């Protein structure tokens, strides 16, 4: 009886440790829809810690017409200039991979079609305001927000 209890206790302790480990860190959840809207515009996260972003396209329109991504830019980046310039990076799903625009990118998700999701992890090393944007052509004027690292 004592052995069974010990085993049960050990199992419960193990589960607790596992659960704590699973929820360590910061997880952000963000969706985008067919009306070119992110469901959230502002986030606050600890600087220097790993952040998990779970991004989902909850729309129904085809990817070629209404694809969405999340591109996180360095503090002080020119978001409108980035959005306008990213149109030329069609070959890499509107995320520039070289040049001055690429240097502004901290992290980005894949370009998602309807019902798709992508999870990325990144760390914002320096405290500051990081703007994020959807770089699909024409979306950057509406689809943007900020992640403040403190
Ligand atoms: Cu978009």
């Amino acid at each position: 009886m004592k052995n069974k209890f010990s085993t049960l206790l050990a199992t419960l302790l193990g589960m607790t440790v596992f659960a704590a480990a699973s929820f360590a860190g910061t997880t952000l959840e963000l969706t985008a829809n067919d009306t070119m809207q992110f469901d959230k515009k502002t986030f606050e996260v600890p600087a220097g810690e790993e952040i998990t972003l779970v991004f989902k396209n909850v729309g129904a329109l085809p990817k070629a017409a209404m694809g969405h991504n999340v591109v996180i830019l360095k503090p002080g980046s020119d978001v409108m200039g980035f959005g306008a310039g990213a149109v030329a990076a069609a070959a890499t799903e509107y995320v520039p991979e070289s040049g001055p625009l690429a240097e502004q990118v901290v992290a980005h998700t894949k370009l998602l079609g309807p019902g798709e999701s992508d999870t990325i992890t990144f760390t914002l090393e320096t405290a500051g305001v990081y703007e994020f944007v959807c770089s699909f052509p024409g979306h950057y004027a509406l689809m943007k927000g900020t992640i403040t690292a403190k």
Side-chain angles (χ1 to χ4, degrees):
M1 194 64 190
K2 195 182 178 191
N3 273 345
K4 267 188 180 173
F5 179 74
S6 299
T7 306
L8 178 67
L9 192 64
T11 305
L12 286 173
L13 281 171
M15 285 169 68
T16 306
V17 169
F18 176 75
S22 302
F23 291 103
T26 302
T27 299
L28 312 179
E29 293 182 345
L30 182 67
T31 68
N33 64 26
D34 284 345
T35 59
M36 277 194 268
Q37 301 286 341
F38 285 126
D39 70 329
K40 298 183 190 91
K41 296 272 185 185
T42 56
F43 293 100
E44 213 175 277
V45 302
E49 287 181 23
E50 188 172 86
I51 309 298
T52 301
L53 170 67
V54 182
F55 177 53
K56 186 168 188 194
N57 179 350
V58 296
L61 292 171
K63 182 176 171 180
M66 190 56 74
H68 300 297
N69 63 12
V70 180
V71 183
I72 301 162
L73 303 175
K74 286 181 183 166
S77 295
D78 170 13
V79 180
M80 298 305 264
F82 182 89
V87 173
T92 51
E93 296 194 314
Y94 310 108
V95 179
E97 288 192 335
S98 61
L101 292 182
E103 285 166 18
Q104 296 180 33
V105 177
V106 174
H108 68 87
T109 68
K110 292 178 198 152
L111 186 68
L112 303 183
E116 293 180 336
S117 66
D118 190 22
T119 300
I120 61 169
T121 57
F122 57 92
T123 303
L124 304 180
E125 295 293 351
T126 316
V129 178
Y130 295 72
E131 294 195 78
F132 67 87
V133 64
C134 171
S135 66
F136 190 87
H139 289 195
Y140 61 91
L142 282 173
M143 300 187 71
K144 58 190 176 190
T146 59
I147 303 174
T148 302
K150 289 190 171 176

